[in-house]
Amino acid sequence: MSNNLLKVEYRQEIIGIYRDKVKYIVEITHGGLNDYKVISSYEQSILLNKVNSYVAKLEDKWDNIVSKKLLVKSKEEILKEAEFQTKLAKNAIIEVENVLLKTLTINDVVNWEKLKDKRKYPVPRPKEGLSVNQKSRPTPQKPKLLKHPAQPNPEDFKVKLSFLDRVFTSVKEEKIQKAERNYAEAFKNWKSSCNKIDVGNRKLMSQFDTDLSKHKHETEKLHQSHLLDIKNWERDESTFYNKQKQDNLKVDELKNLYLQLDPSAIVEYCDLVLNNSEYPENFPKSFEIEYQPDSKILIVDYSLPSLEQFPTISEVKVIKGELKTYQIPETQKLKMFDTTMYNITLRTIHELFEADVIKAIDAISFNGWVYAVNKATGKHENNCILSIQVKQTEFVNVDLRHVDPKTCFKNLKGVASSKLSGLTAIKPIMSISRSDKRFVNHQDVAHLMDSSTNLASMDWEDFEHLIREIFEKEFSSNGGEVKVTQASRDGGVDAIAFDPDPIRGGKIVIQAKRYTNTVGVAAVRDLFGTVLNEGATKGILVTTSDYGPDAYNFANGKPLTLMNGSNLLYLLEKHGHHARINIKEARENMR
C-alpha cells in the first residue's frame, strides 16, 4: 500500500479527575478509500493490535481495488507486463546459477591504482569579474538635467507706435507702460521657472550621488564577498586534494606493507578482494578474516545467504486476463540453495588464491555461516553449515569451469551435512581466534557480596565485572567463555560471551545497566545495533531496574534477551550468591 495514501497519527490524552490515567488514540486515514477511523485504548499493546488489524483490512480492500483496475488494462499491456516480470525472474535465477562461473572471467588481483582517488575537485571555481548579482545592479547613470528656458528679450516687448500714438501722448505713455509691465511679468515668470528647474536638477543630482555612493558600497561589498568565495573555494579545494593525497598515500602504504608480508595488511588486502566480488543484490556480503603468519593459513568466516534471500518466482503468465505468478518448485529451490552454497565456497577460495600475488597464503580455511529461522523453534540462529580447509597447491589443479561443486567440495575433504538446506550445524575445521583488544583482566567481586549488598548502589565498574562473573558461571557448564571489556561508561559492549554450542552458541554481546530508572527502548535499539555490528548471534541486556513496554515490544522476535532486576537476583542465587535491589535507597544515596 502506498504510504502517500495511508496516514496513521498517534496521540494520547490524560483522563480522569486526578489525571492519572492515559488514553492512547490513533487516527487512521486512507486517501484512496476515503476512509477515516479513530481507534483508542487504555493499553498500548491492545491499541497496536487493533491498529494492525484495521490497517490489514484496508490493505486487502485497496489491493482488491488495484487488482480490479489492472483488469481494465489492455491485453497487450498485461502480456508485456507478464513478459517483463518473467524476464526479471529468469535473470535472477541465471544470476544465482552463474555465481561460480562469473568469477572465472574476472581478474581478482587488487588494482592498487584503481583504489586511489583521482577525481578532480567537483565544485567549480567562482567566476572572475562581475557576478550575476553585480550585473543585476547596473551602475546608476547621470541624470539628464533640464535646461533653463530662454530669457525674455526686452526687444520683444517694445511698443510699435503708430502716427496717432505719436500725436496723442497719453496713449503713447499707456502703451509703453503696458509693454514694460508685460516684460516685467514675463521676466518674473522666467526667473521662477529657472528656480524650479534648478531645485529639480539639484534633487536629481543629489539622488544620483546617493545612488552612486550606494552602488559603489554594494559593489565593494560584492567584490569582497566574491574574493571571500574564491578564498573559501581555494581553501576547500586545497583540503580536498590534501585529503585525497593522504588517502592515496595510505593506499601506497598498505601496498608496501602487503608486499612486506605484514599480517594486518594481508587481512586488509583479502578484505578488499572479497569486497570487490559482486553477488546478487539480495545476498549478504559479510565476513571475518584472520591470517596466521606462522602457518600461512587464512581463516574466513563467511555469511552465506539464507533460503529466503533466493529467487522465488519462475514465471509470470496471463490467465483469464490476470497476471499469475508461478513459484519455483520447492525441490528445485532447495537444490539451488545447496549448489549455491558450494559455489560461493569454491568462488571465495578461488578469488583469494588468485589474488595472492605474493604467495602469502598456503591454505584457506573457509567456514560458511547462515543466519536464518530455525523451523523447530521459530527463532533466528547463526549456524556454520559447511567448513573446508584446502591448500593452494591442491586447489590450483581444480578446473572450476567443469566441476560439480558438491563433488569438488567433498573431494577437497570439506565437511557438511548431506542437505545444506537443512541448516544442520557443524563444527568448523578451524575457527577464528576470539581475542579482542578491548578485553581486560577481570575482577571477581561476587564473593564480596552478601544479602545486604544493594546492586542498584554498586560501583558501576564492579557491577560490570559482576555481570561478567555470573555469566561466566552460567556458560562454563558447556565450555563457554566470557570476557569483560574496558570500562568506558559509553553504553557500548560491557562483556562478550563465546558459547561453543553448535546450535544455540556463537558470539553473545552483554550490556550491563546499573539503572535506578526504567530502561527505555533506545537502550534496546542500541543493543540490537551492537549485535549487528559485532556479528554476534545474540544480545543480552541486564539491568537492576526494569524495562518499559516499548523496550519489550522492540525486543520481541529479535535475538535479544532483556533481564530485569528480578531475573538478575534469580541468576545470582542460582550460582550461590545473595544480594538485594532497593531502587529508592539507591536514589537517595545518589543525592
Side-chain angles (χ1 to χ4, degrees), residues 453-469:
T453 303
N454 184 4
L455 298 182
S457 299
M458 196 173 190
D459 176 81
W460 64 270
E461 194 169 349
D462 286 344
F463 183 70
E464 290 178 1
H465 282 286
L466 172 65
I467 297 304
R468 191 276 315 156
E469 186 177 350

Side-chain angles (χ1 to χ4, degrees), residues 534-554:
E534 291 280 337
T537 57
K538 185 178 182 180
I540 301 175
L541 189 60
V542 187
T543 184
T544 47
S545 57
D546 206 340
Y547 303 89
D550 289 346
Y552 283 112
N553 287 337
F554 181 83

Side-chain angles (χ1 to χ4, degrees), residues 68-183:
K68 289 179 181 178
K69 287 182 179 179
L70 186 63
L71 295 176
V72 183
K73 288 185 176 181
S74 67
K75 292 181 179 179
E76 291 79 7
E77 288 178 313
I78 297 176
L79 284 170
K80 285 182 180 178
E81 181 67 19
E83 290 173 1
F84 177 71
Q85 292 191 25
T86 298
K87 185 178 180 180
L88 289 179
K90 291 187 180 301
N91 287 341
I93 294 171
I94 292 171
E95 188 179 15
V96 172
E97 291 175 342
N98 289 336
V99 157
L100 178 57
L101 294 178
K102 179 180 179 180
T103 193
L104 302 181
T105 61
I106 298 170
N107 184 358
D108 296 300
V109 176
V110 171
N111 187 324
W112 297 103
E113 287 304 310
K114 282 189 177 181
L115 291 178
K116 294 181 179 180
D117 184 1
K118 297 181 180 180
R119 295 173 300 149
K120 297 291 184 182
Y121 182 52
V123 180
R125 181 184 178 89
K127 292 182 178 179
E128 301 291 345
L130 287 175
S131 67
V132 175
N133 289 331
Q134 283 178 295
K135 290 178 180 178
S136 66
R137 295 183 177 89
T139 304
Q141 299 298 312
K142 189 173 183 179
K144 291 184 178 180
L145 302 179
L146 295 176
K147 295 182 179 180
H148 288 180
Q151 182 176 338
N153 190 347
E155 295 297 325
D156 296 335
F157 292 88
K158 282 188 177 181
V159 179
K160 294 182 179 180
L161 299 174
S162 63
F163 173 77
L164 292 175
D165 292 336
R166 291 187 178 88
V167 174
F168 299 100
T169 308
S170 59
V171 174
K172 174 184 174 182
E173 287 298 325
E174 183 179 347
K175 283 187 175 183
I176 291 171
Q177 290 177 4
K178 183 179 179 181
E180 290 175 348
R181 286 198 302 273
N182 288 340
Y183 172 74

